[in-house]
Coordinates of all heavy atoms in Angstrom, one line a residue:
T1 N -115.4 29.6 -89.9 CA -114.7 29.8 -88.6 C -115.4 30.8 -87.8 O -115.2 30.9 -86.6 CB -113.3 30.3 -88.7 OG1 -113.3 31.5 -89.4 CG2 -112.4 29.3 -89.5
G2 N -116.3 31.5 -88.4 CA -117.2 32.5 -87.7 C -116.3 33.8 -87.4 O -116.9 34.7 -86.7
L3 N -115.2 33.9 -88.0 CA -114.3 35.1 -87.8 C -114.6 36.1 -89.0 O -114.8 35.7 -90.1 CB -112.8 34.7 -87.8 CG -112.4 33.7 -86.7 CD1 -111.0 33.3 -86.9 CD2 -112.6 34.5 -85.4
T4 N -114.3 37.3 -88.6 CA -114.4 38.4 -89.7 C -112.9 38.9 -89.8 O -112.3 39.3 -88.9 CB -115.2 39.6 -89.2 OG1 -116.6 39.1 -89.1 CG2 -115.2 40.7 -90.3
W5 N -112.4 38.8 -91.1 CA -111.0 39.1 -91.3 C -111.0 40.5 -92.1 O -111.9 40.7 -92.9 CB -110.3 38.1 -92.3 CG -110.1 36.7 -91.6 CD1 -111.1 35.7 -91.4 CD2 -108.9 36.4 -90.9 NE1 -110.5 34.7 -90.8 CE2 -109.1 35.1 -90.4 CE3 -107.8 37.0 -90.7 CZ2 -108.2 34.4 -89.8 CZ3 -106.8 36.2 -90.0 CH2 -107.1 34.9 -89.5
M6 N -109.9 41.3 -91.9 CA -109.6 42.4 -92.8 C -109.4 41.8 -94.1 O -108.6 40.9 -94.2 CB -108.5 43.2 -92.2 CG -108.6 44.0 -91.0 SD -107.2 44.7 -90.4 CE -106.4 45.6 -91.9
R7 N -109.9 42.3 -95.1 CA -109.7 41.7 -96.4 C -108.3 42.2 -96.8 O -107.6 41.5 -97.4 CB -110.7 42.3 -97.4 CG -112.1 41.5 -97.1 CD -113.2 41.9 -98.1 NE -112.9 42.1 -99.4 CZ -112.8 41.1 -100.3 NH1 -113.0 39.8 -100.0 NH2 -112.5 41.4 -101.6
R8 N -107.9 43.5 -96.6 CA -106.7 44.0 -97.0 C -105.8 44.2 -95.7 O -106.3 44.8 -94.7 CB -106.7 45.3 -97.7 CG -107.3 45.1 -99.1 CD -107.6 46.4 -99.8 NE -108.0 46.1 -101.2 CZ -109.2 45.8 -101.6 NH1 -110.1 45.6 -100.7 NH2 -109.5 45.4 -102.9
P9 N -104.5 43.9 -95.7 CA -103.8 44.1 -94.5 C -103.4 45.7 -94.3 O -103.6 46.4 -95.2 CB -102.5 43.3 -94.8 CG -102.4 43.3 -96.2 CD -103.7 43.3 -96.7
L10 N -103.0 46.0 -93.1 CA -102.5 47.4 -93.0 C -101.3 47.6 -93.9 O -100.6 46.6 -94.2 CB -102.0 47.6 -91.5 CG -103.1 47.4 -90.5 CD1 -102.6 47.6 -89.1 CD2 -104.3 48.4 -90.7
P11 N -101.1 48.8 -94.4 CA -100.2 49.0 -95.4 C -98.7 49.0 -95.2 O -97.9 48.7 -95.9 CB -100.5 50.4 -96.0 CG -101.1 51.1 -94.9 CD -101.9 50.0 -94.1
D12 N -98.4 49.3 -93.8 CA -97.0 49.4 -93.4 C -96.8 48.3 -92.4 O -97.5 48.1 -91.4 CB -96.6 50.7 -92.8 CG -96.8 51.8 -93.8 OD1 -96.5 51.7 -95.0 OD2 -97.5 52.9 -93.5
P13 N -95.6 47.6 -92.4 CA -95.2 46.6 -91.4 C -95.0 47.3 -90.1 O -94.6 48.5 -90.0 CB -93.8 46.0 -91.9 CG -93.9 46.3 -93.5 CD -94.6 47.6 -93.5
L14 N -95.4 46.6 -88.9 CA -95.3 47.1 -87.7 C -94.5 46.0 -86.7 O -94.6 44.9 -87.0 CB -96.7 47.4 -86.9 CG -97.5 48.5 -87.8 CD1 -98.9 48.6 -87.3 CD2 -96.8 49.8 -87.7
T15 N -94.2 46.5 -85.6 CA -93.7 45.5 -84.6 C -94.9 44.8 -84.1 O -96.0 45.3 -84.2 CB -93.0 46.2 -83.4 OG1 -93.8 47.0 -82.8 CG2 -91.7 47.0 -83.9
L16 N -94.6 43.7 -83.3 CA -95.7 43.0 -82.8 C -96.6 43.9 -81.8 O -97.7 44.0 -81.8 CB -95.3 41.7 -82.1 CG -96.3 40.9 -81.4 CD1 -97.3 40.3 -82.3 CD2 -95.7 39.9 -80.5
E17 N -95.7 44.6 -80.9 CA -96.5 45.5 -80.0 C -97.4 46.5 -80.6 O -98.5 46.8 -80.3 CB -95.5 46.2 -79.0 CG -96.1 46.9 -78.0 CD -95.1 47.6 -77.0 OE1 -94.0 47.2 -77.0 OE2 -95.4 48.4 -76.2
A18 N -96.7 47.2 -81.7 CA -97.5 48.3 -82.4 C -98.7 47.6 -83.1 O -99.8 48.3 -83.1 CB -96.6 49.0 -83.3
G19 N -98.5 46.5 -83.8 CA -99.6 46.0 -84.5 C -100.8 45.5 -83.6 O -101.9 45.7 -83.9
T20 N -100.4 44.9 -82.4 CA -101.4 44.5 -81.4 C -102.1 45.7 -81.1 O -103.4 45.7 -80.9 CB -100.8 43.9 -80.2 OG1 -100.1 42.7 -80.7 CG2 -101.8 43.5 -79.1
E21 N -101.5 46.9 -80.7 CA -102.3 48.0 -80.3 C -103.1 48.7 -81.3 O -104.2 49.1 -81.1 CB -101.2 49.2 -79.8 CG -101.8 50.4 -79.3 CD -102.6 50.2 -77.9 OE1 -102.6 49.0 -77.3 OE2 -103.3 51.1 -77.6
V22 N -102.6 48.7 -82.7 CA -103.5 49.2 -83.8 C -104.7 48.3 -83.9 O -105.8 48.9 -84.0 CB -102.6 49.2 -85.1 CG1 -103.5 49.4 -86.3 CG2 -101.6 50.4 -85.0
C23 N -104.6 47.0 -83.9 CA -105.7 46.2 -84.1 C -106.7 46.5 -82.8 O -107.9 46.6 -83.0 CB -105.5 44.7 -84.0 SG -104.7 44.1 -85.5
R24 N -106.3 46.5 -81.6 CA -107.1 46.7 -80.5 C -107.8 48.0 -80.4 O -109.0 48.2 -80.1 CB -106.2 46.7 -79.3 CG -107.0 46.6 -77.8 CD -106.1 46.6 -76.7 NE -105.3 47.8 -76.5 CZ -105.8 48.9 -76.0 NH1 -107.0 49.0 -75.7 NH2 -105.0 49.9 -75.9
T25 N -107.2 49.1 -81.0 CA -107.8 50.6 -80.7 C -108.4 51.1 -82.1 O -109.2 52.0 -81.9 CB -106.7 51.5 -80.3 OG1 -105.7 51.5 -81.3 CG2 -106.2 51.0 -79.0
A26 N -108.2 50.5 -83.2 CA -108.6 51.0 -84.4 C -110.1 50.6 -84.8 O -110.6 49.6 -84.4 CB -107.7 50.6 -85.6
T27 N -110.6 51.6 -85.6 CA -111.9 51.2 -86.3 C -111.5 50.9 -87.7 O -111.0 51.8 -88.4 CB -112.9 52.4 -86.2 OG1 -113.2 52.7 -84.8 CG2 -114.0 52.1 -86.9
I28 N -111.7 49.7 -88.2 CA -111.3 49.2 -89.4 C -112.6 48.7 -90.1 O -113.3 47.9 -89.5 CB -110.2 48.0 -89.3 CG1 -109.0 48.6 -88.4 CG2 -109.8 47.6 -90.6 CD1 -108.1 47.5 -88.0
E29 N -112.6 49.2 -91.4 CA -113.8 48.7 -92.2 C -115.2 49.1 -91.4 O -116.1 48.3 -91.5 CB -113.6 47.3 -92.6 CG -112.4 47.0 -93.4 CD -112.2 45.6 -93.7 OE1 -113.0 44.7 -93.3 OE2 -111.3 45.3 -94.5
G30 N -115.2 50.2 -90.7 CA -116.3 50.7 -90.0 C -116.6 49.9 -88.7 O -117.7 50.1 -88.0
K31 N -115.7 49.0 -88.3 CA -115.9 48.2 -87.0 C -114.8 48.3 -86.0 O -113.6 48.6 -86.5 CB -116.1 46.8 -87.4 CG -117.4 46.6 -88.3 CD -117.4 45.2 -88.8 CE -118.7 45.0 -89.7 NZ -118.6 43.9 -90.5
S32 N -115.1 48.0 -84.7 CA -114.0 48.0 -83.8 C -114.0 46.6 -83.1 O -114.6 45.8 -83.6 CB -114.3 49.1 -82.6 OG -115.5 48.8 -82.1
G33 N -113.0 46.4 -82.2 CA -112.9 45.1 -81.6 C -112.1 44.2 -82.3 O -112.1 42.9 -82.2
W34 N -111.1 44.6 -83.1 CA -110.2 43.8 -83.8 C -109.0 43.4 -82.9 O -108.7 43.8 -81.9 CB -109.6 44.6 -84.9 CG -110.6 45.0 -85.9 CD1 -111.4 46.2 -86.0 CD2 -111.1 44.3 -87.1 NE1 -112.2 46.1 -87.0 CE2 -112.1 45.0 -87.8 CE3 -110.8 43.0 -87.6 CZ2 -112.7 44.5 -88.9 CZ3 -111.4 42.5 -88.8 CH2 -112.4 43.5 -89.4
R35 N -108.4 42.3 -83.3 CA -107.2 41.8 -82.6 C -106.3 41.1 -83.7 O -106.8 40.7 -84.8 CB -107.6 40.8 -81.6 CG -108.4 39.6 -82.1 CD -108.8 38.7 -81.0 NE -109.7 37.6 -81.5 CZ -109.3 36.5 -82.3 NH1 -108.0 36.4 -82.5 NH2 -110.3 35.7 -82.6
L36 N -105.2 40.7 -83.3 CA -104.3 39.9 -84.1 C -104.8 38.3 -84.0 O -105.2 37.9 -83.0 CB -102.8 39.8 -83.6 CG -102.1 41.0 -83.9 CD1 -100.7 40.9 -83.3 CD2 -101.9 41.2 -85.4
P37 N -104.7 37.7 -85.1 CA -105.2 36.3 -85.1 C -104.2 35.4 -84.6 O -102.9 35.7 -84.4 CB -105.3 36.0 -86.6 CG -104.4 36.9 -87.3 CD -104.4 38.2 -86.5
S38 N -104.7 34.2 -84.0 CA -103.7 33.3 -83.5 C -103.1 32.4 -84.7 O -103.6 32.6 -85.8 CB -104.5 32.2 -82.5 OG -105.3 31.4 -83.4
Q39 N -102.1 31.7 -84.3 CA -101.5 30.8 -85.4 C -102.5 29.9 -86.0 O -102.6 29.8 -87.2 CB -100.3 30.0 -84.7 CG -99.7 29.0 -85.6 CD -98.7 28.1 -85.0 OE1 -98.1 28.5 -84.0 NE2 -98.5 27.0 -85.5
K40 N -103.4 29.3 -85.1 CA -104.4 28.3 -85.8 C -105.3 29.0 -86.6 O -105.7 28.6 -87.7 CB -105.1 27.6 -84.6 CG -104.3 26.6 -83.9 CD -105.1 25.8 -82.9 CE -104.0 24.6 -82.3 NZ -104.8 23.9 -81.3
E41 N -105.8 30.3 -86.4 CA -106.6 31.1 -87.0 C -106.1 31.5 -88.4 O -106.7 31.3 -89.4 CB -107.1 32.4 -86.4 CG -108.0 31.9 -85.1 CD -108.2 33.2 -84.1 OE1 -107.4 34.1 -84.2 OE2 -109.2 33.1 -83.4
V42 N -104.9 31.9 -88.4 CA -104.2 32.2 -89.6 C -104.1 31.0 -90.6 O -104.3 31.2 -91.8 CB -102.8 32.7 -89.4 CG1 -101.9 32.8 -90.6 CG2 -102.8 34.2 -88.8
Q43 N -103.8 29.9 -90.1 CA -103.6 28.6 -90.8 C -104.9 28.4 -91.7 O -104.9 27.7 -92.6 CB -103.2 27.6 -90.0 CG -101.8 27.7 -89.7 CD -101.2 26.6 -88.7 OE1 -101.8 26.4 -87.6 NE2 -100.2 26.1 -89.1
T44 N -106.1 28.8 -91.1 CA -107.4 28.6 -91.9 C -107.5 29.5 -93.1 O -108.4 29.2 -93.9 CB -108.6 28.8 -91.0 OG1 -108.7 30.3 -90.6 CG2 -108.5 28.1 -89.7
T45 N -106.6 30.4 -93.2 CA -106.7 31.3 -94.4 C -105.7 30.9 -95.6 O -105.8 31.4 -96.6 CB -106.3 32.8 -94.0 OG1 -104.9 32.9 -93.7 CG2 -107.3 33.3 -93.0
V46 N -104.8 30.0 -95.3 CA -103.8 29.5 -96.1 C -104.5 28.5 -97.3 O -105.0 27.6 -96.9 CB -102.6 28.8 -95.4 CG1 -101.7 28.2 -96.4 CG2 -101.9 29.9 -94.5
D47 N -104.2 28.9 -98.4 CA -104.6 28.1 -99.6 C -103.4 27.4 -100.1 O -102.5 27.9 -100.8 CB -105.2 29.0 -100.7 CG -105.8 28.1 -101.8 OD1 -105.4 26.9 -102.0 OD2 -106.7 28.6 -102.6
E48 N -103.2 26.0 -99.8 CA -102.0 25.4 -100.2 C -101.8 25.2 -101.7 O -100.9 24.7 -102.2 CB -102.1 24.0 -99.5 CG -101.9 24.2 -98.0 CD -101.9 22.9 -97.1 OE1 -101.9 21.8 -97.8 OE2 -101.9 23.0 -95.9
T49 N -102.9 25.5 -102.4 CA -102.7 25.4 -103.9 C -102.2 26.7 -104.5 O -101.9 26.7 -105.7 CB -104.0 25.1 -104.6 OG1 -104.9 26.2 -104.4 CG2 -104.8 23.8 -104.0
R50 N -101.9 27.7 -103.7 CA -101.5 29.0 -104.1 C -100.0 29.3 -103.5 O -99.7 28.7 -102.5 CB -102.4 30.0 -103.8 CG -103.8 30.0 -104.4 CD -104.7 31.0 -104.1 NE -106.0 30.8 -104.7 CZ -106.3 31.1 -105.9 NH1 -105.5 31.7 -106.6 NH2 -107.7 30.9 -106.3
H51 N -99.4 30.1 -104.3 CA -98.1 30.5 -103.8 C -97.8 32.0 -104.1 O -98.1 32.5 -105.2 CB -96.9 29.6 -104.5 CG -95.5 29.9 -104.1 ND1 -95.1 29.3 -103.0 CD2 -94.6 30.5 -104.7 CE1 -93.9 29.6 -102.7 NE2 -93.5 30.3 -103.9
A52 N -97.2 32.6 -103.1 CA -96.8 34.1 -103.4 C -97.8 35.1 -103.8 O -97.7 35.6 -104.9 CB -95.5 34.1 -104.3
P53 N -98.9 35.2 -103.2 CA -99.2 34.8 -101.7 C -100.0 33.5 -101.7 O -100.6 33.1 -102.6 CB -100.0 36.0 -101.2 CG -100.7 36.5 -102.4 CD -99.8 36.4 -103.5
A54 N -99.9 32.9 -100.6 CA -100.6 31.6 -100.3 C -102.0 31.8 -99.8 O -102.4 31.0 -98.8 CB -99.7 30.6 -99.4
V55 N -102.7 32.7 -100.2 CA -104.0 33.0 -99.8 C -104.9 33.3 -101.2 O -104.4 33.5 -102.2 CB -104.3 34.1 -99.0 CG1 -103.6 34.0 -97.6 CG2 -103.7 35.5 -99.6
D56 N -106.1 33.1 -101.0 CA -107.1 33.3 -102.2 C -107.1 34.8 -102.4 O -107.6 35.5 -101.6 CB -108.4 32.8 -102.0 CG -109.4 32.9 -103.0 OD1 -109.2 33.7 -104.0 OD2 -110.5 32.3 -103.1
P57 N -106.7 35.4 -103.7 CA -106.7 36.8 -103.9 C -108.1 37.4 -104.0 O -108.2 38.7 -103.7 CB -105.9 36.9 -105.2 CG -106.0 35.6 -105.9 CD -106.2 34.6 -104.7
A58 N -109.1 36.6 -104.3 CA -110.6 37.0 -104.3 C -111.1 37.3 -102.9 O -111.7 38.4 -102.7 CB -111.4 36.1 -105.0
V59 N -110.5 36.5 -101.9 CA -110.9 36.8 -100.5 C -110.0 37.9 -99.8 O -110.5 38.7 -99.0 CB -110.8 35.4 -99.7 CG1 -111.2 35.6 -98.3 CG2 -111.8 34.4 -100.4
F60 N -108.7 37.8 -100.0 CA -107.8 38.7 -99.4 C -107.0 39.4 -100.6 O -105.8 39.0 -100.8 CB -106.8 37.9 -98.6 CG -107.5 37.2 -97.4 CD1 -107.6 35.8 -97.5 CD2 -108.0 37.9 -96.3 CE1 -108.3 35.1 -96.3 CE2 -108.7 37.2 -95.3 CZ -108.8 35.9 -95.2
P61 N -107.6 40.4 -101.3 CA -106.9 41.2 -102.4 C -105.8 42.0 -101.6 O -105.7 42.3 -100.5 CB -107.9 42.1 -102.9 CG -109.1 42.1 -101.7 CD -108.9 40.9 -101.0
D62 N -104.8 42.2 -102.5 CA -103.6 43.1 -102.2 C -102.8 42.5 -101.0 O -102.2 43.3 -100.3 CB -104.1 44.5 -101.8 CG -104.8 45.2 -103.0 OD1 -104.6 44.9 -104.2 OD2 -105.9 45.8 -102.7
T63 N -102.7 41.3 -100.9 CA -101.9 40.6 -99.9 C -100.5 40.6 -100.3 O -100.2 40.0 -101.4 CB -102.4 39.1 -99.5 OG1 -103.7 39.2 -99.0 CG2 -101.5 38.5 -98.5
P64 N -99.6 41.3 -99.7 CA -98.1 41.3 -100.1 C -97.5 40.0 -99.7 O -98.0 39.3 -98.8 CB -97.6 42.4 -99.3 CG -98.4 42.6 -98.1 CD -99.8 42.2 -98.5
V65 N -96.5 39.6 -100.5 CA -95.7 38.5 -100.1 C -94.7 39.0 -99.0 O -93.9 39.9 -99.2 CB -94.9 38.1 -101.3 CG1 -93.9 36.8 -100.9 CG2 -95.8 37.5 -102.4
G66 N -94.8 38.4 -97.8 CA -94.0 38.8 -96.7 C -94.5 38.2 -95.5 O -95.4 37.2 -95.4
R67 N -94.0 38.6 -94.3 CA -94.3 38.0 -93.1 C -95.5 38.8 -92.4 O -95.4 40.1 -92.3 CB -93.0 37.9 -92.1 CG -92.0 37.1 -92.8 CD -90.7 37.2 -92.1 NE -89.8 36.2 -92.6 CZ -88.4 36.2 -92.3 NH1 -88.0 36.9 -91.3 NH2 -87.7 35.2 -92.9
F68 N -96.3 38.1 -91.7 CA -97.4 38.6 -90.9 C -97.4 38.1 -89.5 O -97.3 37.0 -89.2 CB -98.8 38.1 -91.5 CG -99.2 38.8 -92.9 CD1 -98.5 38.4 -94.0 CD2 -100.1 39.7 -92.9 CE1 -98.8 39.0 -95.1 CE2 -100.5 40.3 -94.1 CZ -99.8 40.0 -95.3
W69 N -97.7 39.0 -88.5 CA -97.6 38.7 -87.0 C -98.9 37.9 -86.7 O -99.9 38.2 -87.3 CB -97.5 39.9 -86.2 CG -96.1 40.5 -86.0 CD1 -95.8 41.8 -86.3 CD2 -95.0 39.7 -85.5 NE1 -94.4 41.8 -86.0 CE2 -94.0 40.7 -85.5 CE3 -94.8 38.5 -85.0 CZ2 -92.6 40.3 -85.1 CZ3 -93.5 38.1 -84.7 CH2 -92.5 39.1 -84.7
T70 N -98.8 37.0 -85.8 CA -99.9 36.3 -85.2 C -99.9 36.7 -83.7 O -98.8 37.3 -83.3 CB -99.8 34.9 -85.2 OG1 -98.9 34.3 -84.3 CG2 -99.6 34.3 -86.7
S71 N -100.9 36.4 -82.9 CA -100.9 36.8 -81.5 C -100.3 35.6 -80.7 O -100.2 35.7 -79.5 CB -102.3 36.9 -81.1 OG -103.1 35.7 -81.2
S72 N -99.7 34.6 -81.4 CA -99.3 33.5 -80.7 C -97.8 33.6 -80.2 O -96.9 33.7 -81.1 CB -99.3 32.2 -81.6 OG -100.7 31.9 -81.9
P73 N -97.6 33.5 -79.0 CA -96.2 33.6 -78.4 C -95.5 32.3 -78.7 O -96.0 31.3 -78.8 CB -96.4 33.9 -76.9 CG -97.7 33.1 -76.6 CD -98.5 33.2 -77.8
V74 N -94.2 32.4 -78.5 CA -93.3 31.2 -78.5 C -93.1 30.8 -77.0 O -92.8 31.6 -76.1 CB -91.9 31.5 -79.0 CG1 -91.0 30.3 -78.9 CG2 -92.0 31.9 -80.5
N75 N -93.6 29.6 -76.8 CA -93.6 29.1 -75.4 C -92.3 28.4 -75.1 O -92.3 27.1 -74.9 CB -94.8 28.1 -75.2 CG -96.1 28.9 -75.3 OD1 -96.3 30.0 -74.8 ND2 -97.1 28.2 -76.0
K76 N -91.3 29.2 -74.9 CA -90.0 28.7 -74.4 C -89.4 29.7 -73.3 O -89.7 30.8 -73.4 CB -89.0 28.7 -75.7 CG -89.4 27.7 -76.7 CD -88.5 27.9 -77.9 CE -88.9 26.9 -79.1 NZ -88.1 27.2 -80.3
P77 N -88.7 29.2 -72.2 CA -88.3 30.1 -71.2 C -87.3 31.0 -71.8 O -86.5 30.8 -72.8 CB -87.6 29.0 -70.3 CG -88.0 27.6 -70.8 CD -88.5 27.7 -72.1
N78 N -87.4 32.3 -71.4 CA -86.5 33.3 -71.7 C -86.4 33.7 -73.2 O -85.4 34.1 -73.6 CB -85.2 33.0 -71.1 CG -85.0 32.7 -69.6 OD1 -85.7 33.5 -68.9 ND2 -84.4 31.8 -69.2
V79 N -87.4 33.5 -73.9 CA -87.5 33.8 -75.3 C -88.5 35.0 -75.6 O -89.5 35.0 -75.0 CB -88.0 32.6 -76.1 CG1 -88.2 32.9 -77.6 CG2 -87.0 31.4 -75.9
T80 N -88.0 35.9 -76.3 CA -88.9 37.1 -76.6 C -89.3 37.1 -78.0 O -89.4 38.1 -78.7 CB -88.2 38.4 -76.3 OG1 -86.9 38.4 -77.0 CG2 -87.9 38.6 -74.8
E81 N -89.5 35.9 -78.6 CA -90.0 35.8 -79.9 C -91.5 35.6 -80.0 O -92.0 35.0 -79.0 CB -89.3 34.6 -80.7 CG -87.8 34.9 -80.8 CD -87.0 33.8 -81.5 OE1 -87.5 32.7 -81.6 OE2 -85.9 34.1 -82.0
S82 N -92.0 35.7 -81.1 CA -93.4 35.3 -81.3 C -93.5 34.7 -82.7 O -92.7 34.6 -83.5 CB -94.2 36.6 -81.4 OG -94.3 37.1 -80.0
V83 N -94.7 34.3 -83.0 CA -95.0 33.5 -84.2 C -95.4 34.3 -85.3 O -96.4 35.2 -85.0 CB -96.0 32.3 -83.9 CG1 -96.4 31.5 -85.1 CG2 -95.4 31.3 -82.8
Y84 N -95.0 34.2 -86.5 CA -95.5 34.8 -87.6 C -95.8 33.7 -88.7 O -95.3 32.7 -88.8 CB -94.5 35.9 -88.2 CG -93.2 35.3 -88.8 CD1 -93.2 35.0 -90.2 CD2 -92.1 35.3 -88.1 CE1 -92.1 34.4 -90.7 CE2 -90.9 34.6 -88.7 CZ -90.9 34.3 -90.0 OH -89.9 33.8 -90.6
W85 N -96.5 34.2 -89.7 CA -96.6 33.3 -90.9 C -96.2 34.0 -92.2 O -96.3 35.3 -92.2 CB -98.1 32.8 -91.0 CG -99.2 33.8 -91.7 CD1 -99.7 34.8 -90.9 CD2 -99.6 34.0 -92.9 NE1 -100.6 35.6 -91.8 CE2 -100.5 35.0 -93.0 CE3 -99.3 33.2 -94.1 CZ2 -101.1 35.3 -94.1 CZ3 -100.0 33.7 -95.1 CH2 -100.9 34.7 -95.3
D86 N -95.7 33.3 -93.1 CA -95.1 33.9 -94.2 C -96.1 33.6 -95.5 O -96.5 32.5 -95.7 CB -93.8 33.2 -94.6 CG -93.0 33.8 -95.6 OD1 -93.6 34.4 -96.6 OD2 -91.8 33.8 -95.5
S87 N -96.6 34.7 -95.9 CA -97.6 34.6 -97.0 C -97.0 34.1 -98.4 O -97.8 33.7 -99.2 CB -98.2 36.0 -97.3 OG -97.3 36.9 -97.9
Q88 N -95.8 34.0 -98.5 CA -95.1 33.4 -99.6 C -95.6 31.8 -99.8 O -96.1 31.5 -100.8 CB -93.7 33.4 -99.6 CG -93.0 32.6 -100.7 CD -92.0 33.4 -101.6 OE1 -91.8 34.5 -101.5 NE2 -91.4 32.6 -102.4
D89 N -95.5 31.2 -98.7 CA -95.8 29.7 -98.8 C -96.7 29.2 -97.7 O -96.9 28.0 -97.5 CB -94.5 28.9 -98.8 CG -93.6 29.1 -97.7 OD1 -94.0 29.9 -96.7 OD2 -92.5 28.7 -97.7
G90 N -97.1 30.1 -96.8 CA -98.0 29.7 -95.6 C -97.3 29.1 -94.5 O -97.8 28.6 -93.6
A91 N -96.0 29.1 -94.5 CA -95.0 28.6 -93.4 C -95.3 29.4 -92.1 O -95.4 30.6 -92.2 CB -93.6 28.6 -93.8
I92 N -95.2 28.7 -91.0 CA -95.2 29.3 -89.6 C -93.7 29.2 -89.2 O -93.2 28.2 -89.1 CB -96.2 28.4 -88.7 CG1 -97.6 28.5 -89.3 CG2 -96.1 29.1 -87.3 CD1 -98.2 29.9 -89.3
E93 N -93.3 30.4 -88.6 CA -91.9 30.6 -88.1 C -92.0 31.4 -86.8 O -92.9 31.9 -86.4 CB -91.1 31.2 -89.1 CG -91.0 30.4 -90.5 CD -90.3 29.2 -90.4 OE1 -89.4 29.0 -89.5 OE2 -90.4 28.3 -91.3
E94 N -90.8 31.6 -86.3 CA -90.6 32.4 -85.1 C -89.6 33.6 -85.3 O -88.6 33.3 -86.1 CB -90.2 31.7 -83.9 CG -91.0 30.5 -83.6 CD -90.5 29.4 -82.6 OE1 -89.3 29.6 -82.2 OE2 -91.1 28.5 -82.3
A95 N -89.9 34.7 -84.7 CA -89.0 35.9 -84.9 C -89.0 36.9 -83.7 O -90.1 36.7 -82.9 CB -89.3 36.6 -86.2
A96 N -88.1 37.6 -83.5 CA -88.0 38.6 -82.5 C -89.3 39.6 -82.6 O -89.6 40.0 -83.7 CB -86.7 39.4 -82.5
S97 N -90.0 39.9 -81.5 CA -91.1 40.6 -81.6 C -90.9 42.1 -82.0 O -91.8 42.7 -82.3 CB -91.8 40.7 -80.1 OG -92.1 39.4 -79.7
T98 N -89.6 42.6 -82.0 CA -89.3 43.8 -82.4 C -89.2 44.0 -83.9 O -89.0 45.1 -84.5 CB -88.0 44.3 -81.7 OG1 -87.0 43.4 -82.1 CG2 -88.1 44.4 -80.2
N99 N -89.3 42.9 -84.7 CA -89.2 43.0 -86.1 C -90.4 43.8 -86.6 O -91.5 43.5 -86.1 CB -89.1 41.7 -86.7 CG -87.7 41.0 -86.5 OD1 -86.7 41.7 -86.1 ND2 -87.5 39.7 -86.8
A100 N -90.4 44.3 -87.8 CA -91.6 44.9 -88.3 C -92.2 44.0 -89.5 O -91.5 43.7 -90.4 CB -91.3 46.3 -88.9
Y101 N -93.4 43.5 -89.2 CA -94.0 42.6 -90.2 C -95.4 43.1 -90.5 O -96.0 44.0 -89.8 CB -94.2 41.1 -89.7 CG -92.8 40.5 -89.5 CD1 -92.7 39.5 -88.6 CD2 -91.7 40.8 -90.3 CE1 -91.4 38.8 -88.4 CE2 -90.5 40.2 -89.9 CZ -90.3 39.1 -89.1 OH -89.3 38.5 -88.9
F102 N -96.1 42.5 -91.5 CA -97.4 43.0 -91.8 C -98.4 42.6 -90.8 O -98.2 41.6 -90.0 CB -97.9 42.4 -93.3 CG -97.1 43.1 -94.4 CD1 -96.1 42.4 -95.0 CD2 -97.4 44.3 -94.7 CE1 -95.4 42.9 -96.0 CE2 -96.6 44.9 -95.8 CZ -95.7 44.1 -96.4
I103 N -99.6 43.3 -90.8 CA -100.7 43.0 -89.8 C -102.1 42.9 -90.6 O -102.3 43.7 -91.4 CB -100.8 44.2 -88.9 CG1 -99.5 44.5 -88.2 CG2 -102.0 44.0 -88.0 CD1 -99.1 43.5 -87.3
R104 N -102.7 41.8 -90.3 CA -104.1 41.6 -90.7 C -104.8 41.2 -89.5 O -104.7 40.2 -88.9 CB -104.2 40.5 -91.8 CG -105.8 40.3 -92.2 CD -105.9 39.3 -93.4 NE -105.7 39.9 -94.6 CZ -104.9 39.6 -95.7 NH1 -104.2 38.5 -95.5 NH2 -104.9 40.2 -96.7
C105 N -105.8 42.2 -89.2 CA -106.5 42.0 -87.9 C -107.7 41.1 -88.2 O -108.2 40.9 -89.3 CB -107.0 43.4 -87.4 SG -105.7 44.5 -87.1
V106 N -108.4 40.5 -87.1 CA -109.5 39.7 -87.1 C -110.4 40.0 -86.0 O -110.0 40.6 -85.1 CB -109.0 38.1 -87.1 CG1 -108.3 37.9 -85.8 CG2 -110.1 37.2 -87.4
R107 N -111.7 39.8 -86.1 CA -112.6 39.9 -84.9 C -113.6 38.8 -84.9 O -113.8 38.1 -85.8 CB -113.2 41.3 -85.1 CG -114.0 41.6 -86.2 CD -114.6 43.1 -86.4 NE -115.4 43.5 -85.3 CZ -116.6 43.3 -85.2 NH1 -117.2 42.7 -86.3 NH2 -117.3 43.9 -84.3

């Protein structure tokens, strides 16, 4: 995909706004220019042969089982939800942007 992923997610869940800001401003793994991945980008990391978490642990060590924010908004009128992916099974869902979920930045 040509993307560089954080191997380990940030340790504490954050709201979508806080996670977006952390990715945008932080120097992570010695590099800057990070952002939240889109829904399509996240789906490239899902390993359908794995469960809880549904990613390759050699590539993404210490991935907790839980929800991770994406940068993809929900395209419905008057909705303040965003798209997240669940590392338990790789499912894509929607939730209020004020919920605190895990963050894995990409660049």
